[in-house]
Amino acid sequence: VYLETYGCQMNVNDTEIAWAILQKNGYRRTKELDEADVVLLVTCSIREKAEQAIWNRLQHLKALKARRQQARLSLRIGILGCMAERLKEEILHREKLVDIVAGPDAYRDLPRLLAVAESGQQAANVLLSLDETYADILPVQTSTGGTTAFVSIMRGCDNMCSYCIVPFTRGRERSRPIASILQEVRMLSDQGVKEVTLLGQNVNSFRDMSEVQFQSAAAPVLSRGFSTVYKAKPGGLRFAHLLDQVSRIDPEMRIRFTSPHPKDFPDEASVLQLIQERHNICKQLHLPAQSGSTRVLEAMRRGYTREAYLELVRHVRESIPGVSLSSDFITGFCGETEEDHQQTVSLLREVRYNVGFLFAYSMRQKTRAYHRLQDDVPADVKQRRLEELIAVFREEAARANEVMVGQNHLVLVEGPSKRSPSELCGRNDGNIKVIFPDAETEDAAGCEAPVRAQPGDYVLVKVTSASSQTLRGVLLCRTTLSRSAASH
């Protein structure tokens, strides 16, 4: 089997789950397309561009399949994930070469679907589940180097933002039992993984209902000025409890999480308090704003105003000094005026994010926006606004990063820099890329001989220059997460 992944980090994790299931069923994996008997594409539906990449790839595979058929050899092609969920009929009919279609909750069914396909029939399963979390399947880690890993803690989303296809392709929100998450994180720690990112569409509304004694716990309070389209759900063990447990497993393992929703950082702020207190939970938060205009936020059904969002940012910065912030923005949403756009520009200037993900709006079928709103911002206007936002984001990120020049940062080494083999690259606590020379250095533990930093090592780097994307610096010493925390 040959697996190819498109889209978000959830899809990378889904690829690992699908592969774990196939491996148990006697499949072997190849990295060479030409050796494959089965080609599976794990797909994304979030924007039109993501889907277009898949249709283009299918044209390429069509030629490969035709060559195989001439040589009397079979090739089975499968579409997995969000696009399979959204376009099942179209994929099966438009591209007769696709043999199987499996949605995000149907990976356990892959061996059966492939067996049906072997007999020459098309096979599909896009049933969405209310409880599938793949809790008993330990994903086979496929990321390079093995320094960092992503652990899925929940699936689906209940927020129903008007632009978003996720609730329709990934179904309702359900959380994995904490015990199974802790088991996976311990296993990764034993394998020497140094950084784990807890992953979900909406991680901080996590709610593990598997332990009976916690089922009557009160529903959480939302952040001030925030609302949801659904009723707050009582019961279960919450995200703060999970974060507390995960961060205790290995003091030398960094913990991150993505993607949270701004509404789920309430005033008692136990999550923010944990981030501030624990040396191994990164001082970095992803706070997706999507727009700086209250009017557009209302049309998007985000459940907050610009003012409530800015109040939350102030609260976060007070609670976690030096926190690094990242965000998502959509430009050119239905009805967005030039004034709305300027409000997003001013939000970018006011907050000054370290990392940003910015996109032009692309209408998706099934969403509320598709049924109720007009996609009325012309493509060229979307593009111009997007370019303006990117320019402003970069300018402000460069300023935010400039402040770090002269500071010493703890960096987890990931490997050689892409641009130069004589330099190493890693990320600091705030998830910003740091580049420094691959030179001999001393070890903070005081061993006599100089050492070379390896992937998975923590090093102290003095920052000498900054751009909007990266920091550069000089290597001071190799150290550990605990020792670095103790010296602060």
Side-chain angles (χ1 to χ4, degrees):
V1 60
Y2 175 87
L3 289 149
E4 209 164 84
T5 313
Y6 295 79
C8 70
Q9 199 55 54
M10 277 308 266
N11 279 358
V12 176
N13 193 263
D14 276 9
T15 305
E16 292 170 351
I17 288 169
W19 168 227
I21 290 164
L22 290 171
Q23 198 179 29
K24 276 200 180 77
N25 281 272
Y27 282 81
R28 285 179 311 153
R29 188 163 177 181
T30 176
K31 289 205 161 83
E32 301 300 323
L33 185 57
D34 289 338
E35 291 175 5
D37 306 298
V38 177
V39 176
L40 299 177
L41 309 183
V42 182
T43 63
C44 171
S45 247
I46 205 87
R47 289 184 306 284
E48 215 167 309
K49 201 172 164 189
E51 289 187 353
Q52 201 44 57
I54 305 294
W55 291 121
N56 296 345
R57 186 63 170 147
L58 285 174
Q59 289 311 312
H60 174 83
L61 293 172
K62 197 175 194 168
L64 181 65
K65 192 167 185 176
R67 286 202 300 277
R68 287 286 178 91
Q69 279 167 342
Q70 279 171 350
R72 304 225 166 132
L73 296 167
S74 76
L75 178 66
R76 303 279 168 246
I77 294 169
I79 299 287
L80 315 189
C82 292
M83 191 168 159
E85 194 64 48
R86 191 177 97 74
L87 296 172
K88 172 188 139 184
E89 302 298 333
E90 196 178 336
I91 291 166
L92 291 172
H93 297 140
R94 178 169 148 186
E95 297 295 345
K96 287 283 188 262
L97 82 161
V98 173
D99 302 285
I100 76 161
V101 172
D105 290 347
Y107 301 141
R108 288 180 199 273
D109 202 21
L110 279 172
R112 184 190 70 84
L113 294 172
L114 284 164
V116 171
E118 277 303 307
S119 70
Q121 301 172 62
Q122 286 184 313
N125 180 348
V126 292
L127 290 174
L128 283 174
S129 159
L130 288 172
D131 49 18
E132 177 63 270
T133 61
Y134 301 107
D136 58 321
I137 293 170
L138 286 176
V140 183
Q141 291 295 327
T142 52
S143 57
T144 48
T147 302
T148 62
F150 289 82
V151 172
S152 173
I153 66 167
M154 61 193 302
R155 300 178 74 82
C157 186
D158 286 349
N159 285 320
M160 305 301 281
C161 301
S162 61
Y163 54 81
C164 187
I165 189 79
V166 166
F168 303 97
T169 60
R170 287 189 167 270
R172 302 288 72 162
E173 215 168 82
R174 62 265 185 208
S175 300
R176 190 175 155 187
I178 285 183
S180 101
I181 297 168
L182 297 179
Q183 182 196 357
E184 187 178 338
V185 175
R186 279 191 204 100
M187 180 187 82
L188 293 169
S189 167
D190 293 344
Q191 288 171 10
V193 167
K194 285 292 173 49
E195 182 179 291
V196 158
T197 302
L198 304 176
L199 201 60
Q201 243 72 43
N202 195 17
V203 286
N204 52 348
S205 60
F206 177 87
R207 198 170 70 101
D208 170 14
M209 294 293 283
S210 66
E211 296 191 37
V212 176
Q213 69 268 39
F214 297 106
Q215 286 183 1
S216 59
V221 187
L222 291 180
S223 307
R224 258 201 308 263
F226 288 74
S227 64
T228 61
V229 294
Y230 59 84
K231 268 206 349 240
K233 304 176 189 76
L237 288 167
R238 298 286 167 171
F239 184 60
H241 181 86
L242 173 68
L243 197 56
D244 169 53
Q245 296 288 303
V246 168
S247 68
R248 290 173 190 271
I249 287 175
D250 180 351
E252 286 302 307
M253 181 191 262
R254 265 182 180 171
I255 309 298
R256 300 186 191 277
F257 56 89
T258 198
S259 181
H261 191 288
K263 72 178 173 8
D264 297 307
F265 289 104
D267 290 344
E268 86 275 23
S270 47
V271 170
L272 300 179
Q273 205 177 328
L274 272 173
I275 297 173
Q276 196 262 318
E277 284 170 8
R278 298 279 157 89
H279 75 272
N280 63 333
I281 303 179
C282 292
K283 312 288 176 271
Q284 173 236 330
L285 261 193
H286 187 59
L287 285 181
Q290 306 300 3
S291 172
S293 155
T294 294
R295 206 182 65 77
V296 173
L297 288 168
E298 197 175 328
M300 288 177 164
R301 293 179 103 193
R302 289 290 290 167
Y304 52 86
T305 60
R306 175 194 176 95
E307 291 67 33
Y309 181 86
L310 284 169
E311 182 52 45
L312 175 65
V313 169
R314 270 193 291 279
H315 176 50
V316 165
R317 286 198 159 135
E318 274 166 23
S319 308
I320 312 165
V323 68
S324 159
L325 294 181
S326 56
S327 193
D328 299 331
F329 285 93
I330 295 170
T331 188
F333 185 64
C334 308
E336 184 187 72
T337 64
E338 203 53 40
E339 189 192 337
D340 293 324
H341 167 63
Q342 288 309 323
Q343 290 193 2
T344 302
V345 169
S346 79
L347 187 80
L348 281 169
R349 291 215 185 275
E350 194 168 334
V351 178
R352 189 171 285 176
Y353 299 97
N354 300 82
V355 178
F357 304 93
L358 302 97
F359 303 100
Y361 175 61
S362 135
M363 174 81 86
R364 313 313 286 134
Q365 278 171 340
K366 290 190 181 170
T367 59
R368 187 181 173 91
Y370 178 79
H371 293 298
R372 308 237 173 142
L373 304 171
Q374 292 301 160
D375 186 6
D376 54 3
V377 180
D380 57 334
V381 176
K382 284 181 186 174
Q383 196 50 39
R384 172 183 60 77
R385 288 179 187 170
L386 179 61
E387 283 161 17
E388 276 174 34
L389 291 185
I390 291 170
V392 171
F393 157 71
R394 287 206 168 138
E395 204 180 300
E396 295 301 332
R399 284 190 183 136
N401 293 346
E402 197 63 43
V403 176
M404 300 177 200
V405 174
Q407 295 176 359
N408 295 347
H409 281 227
L410 184 72
V411 176
L412 175 60
V413 182
E414 288 176 1
S417 157
K418 283 197 178 85
R419 295 204 175 151
S420 159
S422 64
E423 293 182 310
L424 290 172
C425 172
R427 286 176 190 275
N428 69 0
D429 201 73
N431 211 18
I432 299 162
K433 195 184 274 188
V434 184
I435 294 171
F436 53 95
D438 180 6
E440 288 192 330
T441 185
E442 60 185 50
D443 188 282
C447 61
E448 298 300 307
V451 292
R452 284 308 258 268
Q454 302 297 324
D457 284 348
Y458 289 104
V459 294
L460 212 52
V461 173
K462 182 170 187 164
V463 178
T464 52
S465 69
S467 72
S468 65
Q469 313 276 308
T470 49
L471 304 172
R472 300 188 80 89
V474 292
L475 188 55
L476 297 178
C477 66
R478 184 172 74 177
T479 184
T480 65
L481 199 49
S482 312
R483 186 178 286 117
S484 168
S487 66
H488 271 275

